[in-house]
Amino acid sequence: MTTLVCASYAQRARPRLGAQARRVRDGAFRHLLRIVPTTDRPFGWRVGGITASFNRRSGSFIAVFGVILLLEAIARASMSRPPPDVIRTGGPSGPADPKLAVVGSSADRVGTSFSVVDASDAVLLTGVLQKAAGTPVPWSFAEVVDVSSLQNLGEFRVITGGLTSVPWTVRVDGPREAIITMLQFFAANSDGFEPSPLHGASHLHDAVVARGPHKGEHVDLTGGWMDAGDMLHFTQTTGFSAMLLQYAARLDAADRDALNRTADVGVRWLVKAHPTADLFIGQVGDQRDHNTTPLFRNPESDDASSARGIGTRLAYPSTRADLAGKAAAALALAADRATGDDRGPLLQQAIDWYEAGKFDASSRPPLRGGFYTSSSWHDDMATGAAALYRTTGDGAYLAGAMQYLRATDTSGDVNWDSVGAFAAADLCGLLGAPAVNDPAARDLACSKFQDALASAKSQAAKNAFGTPGEFLEGQTALNGGAGAMIAAAARAGDVSALDMATGARDYLLGRNAWGASFIIGYGLNAPRHPHHWAEAFAPGQPIGGVVNGPAPRRRQRKAGFRPDSPFDSRQLAYQDAVDNYFTSEPAIDLTASSILLLAALSPSS
């Protein structure tokens, strides 16, 4: 029997091959598979990655194979088509904010005139396009439209060379609404009896200790936040997110109460995660959450499940310094604002986590499933020591923070895995509290902050859209963390930093290659198909979650995903698709980093 096998072909992604072209090609393949004649004596052939087996009636094969090669040529031709020229805008912006639109183009448009019009098409501003700094990928050229002088309130559009942008909104409170929207995600992902707008009480059997001296014991670990599109709980990301939300509350007076109330959900869970003197929990749940069918389900249904590790989940102890340092920081920050009888227990919890991490002095071994294994731990302990010093005034904690900061490289990424920049910024007086009085500690902290700032600025200058986050998995967290450092510098009077900080914010909200907001349910072209358990019963939710954003194309292809936006490049792709967890999964750390960025730029800061 003769068959034509295109499996090898199907495994190769086609950059910028549109969905319609792909359907035509694949339909033709299916049709050809039906018409190839049969025989009992096939032999094989391989050309350009296409494997074929066919009979001696070569005429039939040649006709079929010729059509396939033609389709292959069409597919390759579609790869070389440049993306359409567009104008990408940001906002909402405050009246005094820098406002820089970016034109992506296949031809050099530098010097081309532009105009800015209001809703009635009245011209408010004119000028000429300037060359954008950094790589214009996926375009051949990129130009900047500087409309910063426009401080009128309302919606405005940029027009140049036959292109018209989507509206750019300018309002008094800028993007403050985005902060409130993002806080909704933390409410949606709240667990236990913590109120959620999406589900009822859930995971009320959490949890049974999986190993160690307390193995088999039940400990109350209800509440807190589910981490991302799954339902696991991690001390690592809970501590990180609660820490950043409290930093944000220091900076954003208008939203301080809401930010602290949200942080308290994580803080209450961290308290439960240290129930006895010798027990510290690093994780609740494991990879069985990912392997359960259906993957997306209502959290409140888990309690009735008879599946091992789902109906009653396991808790994994850990005193790893990377997660202990973050827990200590979050708890110390909570103690610092607590009053009365609440302060003492929170402070003791923070001290216990810090001492446990100090004794452990490691970011190994990985917890069950290998989730969130950090590459370092000195940075985490620095954040814990800095927060404890702020709360207690004890010089030993300041000395500890200096010791750990000296061992920390702050010149790289700023995210859950690299938090030293936050400790440095805090002690340098850039996160809403005064700089420490000790000159040596202050100088060290400010020097380490400058290392982080220089790295963030350098990254922002590498691309036309100005994101200071590297294009790695979890790009929005990197954009938020590094952007928050630049915003902190802008707050301290670094005028050059303001353009970059608002650029990071605008990148999150739509001034990127895809013209997409990366906040679910907020802004133009916001994610509609997030990789999240709410897909099972509330498609389009959870509102406010920040998704991963663009990710390396190669990793996505290797996992079987085929993003096909015309604005993807050979290196980078973004896809708003439920299955694609690389780009479309929201998480608490991504959202907390983005909140801190916006809080640092809020008018009330």
Side-chain angles (χ1 to χ4, degrees), residues 278-322:
D278 61 342
L279 182 58
F280 298 81
I281 300 299
Q283 176 179 316
V284 172
D286 50 44
Q287 66 271 25
R288 282 173 286 197
D289 178 89
H290 292 196
N291 298 334
T292 298
T293 302
L295 172 62
F296 296 140
R297 58 195 187 276
N298 193 319
E300 62 189 82
S301 69
D302 277 5
D303 288 323
S305 174
S306 59
R308 289 174 57 85
I310 300 297
T312 298
R313 303 195 293 185
L314 296 182
Y316 295 90
S318 180
T319 54
R320 276 180 9 204
D322 57 327

Side-chain angles (χ1 to χ4, degrees), residues 413-444:
D413 297 332
V414 184
N415 64 348
W416 70 266
D417 186 35
S418 185
V419 298
F422 297 115
D426 185 16
L427 295 176
C428 190
L430 298 171
L431 287 180
V436 294
N437 291 325
D438 184 289
R442 184 173 62 249
D443 289 348
L444 174 64

Side-chain angles (χ1 to χ4, degrees), residues 44 108 188 203 229 270 348 401 478 514:
D108 189 350
H203 299 123
L270 291 171
Q348 188 59 55
L478 299 168
W514 299 268

Side-chain angles (χ1 to χ4, degrees), residues 445-524:
C446 293
S447 174
K448 289 290 186 178
F449 171 77
Q450 287 297 326
D451 291 344
L453 178 63
S455 177
K457 285 184 171 182
S458 175
Q459 180 62 32
K462 290 179 180 178
N463 63 94
F465 295 98
T467 174
E470 286 194 75
F471 289 110
L472 304 172
E473 292 171 39
Q475 200 277 332
T476 51
L478 299 168
N479 179 74
M485 294 301 98
I486 301 176
R491 293 180 71 253
D494 184 342
V495 177
S496 67
L498 187 57
D499 283 0
M500 288 186 170
T502 53
R505 183 187 69 192
D506 287 337
Y507 176 86
L508 172 73
L509 298 177
R511 197 194 70 178
N512 52 62
W514 299 268
S517 164
F518 296 130
I519 305 174
I520 301 167
Y522 182 86
L524 295 173

Side-chain angles (χ1 to χ4, degrees), residues 209 214 217-219 271-281 349 352:
V209 180
H214 295 274
E217 295 180 14
H218 183 272
V219 178
V271 169
K272 290 184 174 184
H274 174 40
T276 63
D278 61 342
L279 182 58
F280 298 81
I281 300 299
Q349 281 269 339
D352 288 352

Side-chain angles (χ1 to χ4, degrees), residues 67-90:
V67 173
I68 292 173
L69 290 179
L70 176 61
L71 291 169
E72 174 80 358
I74 293 172
R76 289 185 179 276
S78 72
M79 289 169 50
S80 62
R81 294 175 187 163
D85 291 3
V86 295
I87 305 172
R88 297 305 193 203
T89 58

Side-chain angles (χ1 to χ4, degrees), residues 72-276:
E72 174 80 358
I74 293 172
R76 289 185 179 276
S78 72
M79 289 169 50
S80 62
R81 294 175 187 163
D85 291 3
V86 295
I87 305 172
R88 297 305 193 203
T89 58
S93 302
D97 287 347
K99 306 172 195 69
L100 303 175
V102 177
V103 179
S105 55
S106 57
D108 189 350
R109 290 176 178 255
V110 170
T112 302
S113 62
F114 73 82
S115 61
V116 179
V117 301
D118 64 13
S120 64
D121 289 331
V123 176
L124 303 176
L125 182 69
T126 61
V128 296
L129 303 186
Q130 304 294 323
K131 180 179 174 58
T135 175
V137 172
W139 289 273
S140 298
F141 301 90
E143 296 80 30
V144 171
V145 183
D146 189 345
V147 297
S148 302
S149 62
L150 184 63
Q151 300 192 11
N152 307 51
L153 301 182
E155 290 190 347
F156 310 96
R157 289 168 291 127
V158 178
I159 300 174
T160 182
L163 304 175
T164 301
S165 75
V166 298
W168 191 318
T169 300
V170 179
R171 59 192 185 206
V172 173
D173 60 354
R176 181 191 172 196
E177 185 182 29
I179 294 178
I180 302 303
T181 301
M182 287 187 280
L183 289 179
Q184 293 181 44
F185 173 65
F186 285 93
N189 266 33
S190 292
D191 208 352
F193 288 110
E194 299 284 3
S196 167
L198 295 186
H199 65 88
S202 53
H203 299 123
L204 302 182
H205 302 155
D206 283 355
V208 172
V209 180
R211 61 191 182 205
H214 295 274
K215 181 177 180 179
E217 295 180 14
H218 183 272
V219 178
D220 179 12
L221 287 164
T222 57
W225 299 307
M226 291 173 273
D227 177 67
D230 57 18
M231 301 183 191
L232 279 66
H233 291 244
F234 301 100
T235 299
Q236 184 84 272
T237 52
T238 297
F240 174 82
S241 299
M243 176 177 73
L244 263 58
L245 289 170
Q246 291 175 94
Y247 286 148
R250 284 182 182 173
L251 298 172
D252 181 6
D255 301 307
R256 181 167 297 150
D257 290 345
L259 288 161
N260 281 330
R261 279 197 307 271
T262 301
D264 285 342
V265 175
V267 169
R268 285 192 287 271
W269 187 83
L270 291 171
V271 169
K272 290 184 174 184
H274 174 40
T276 63

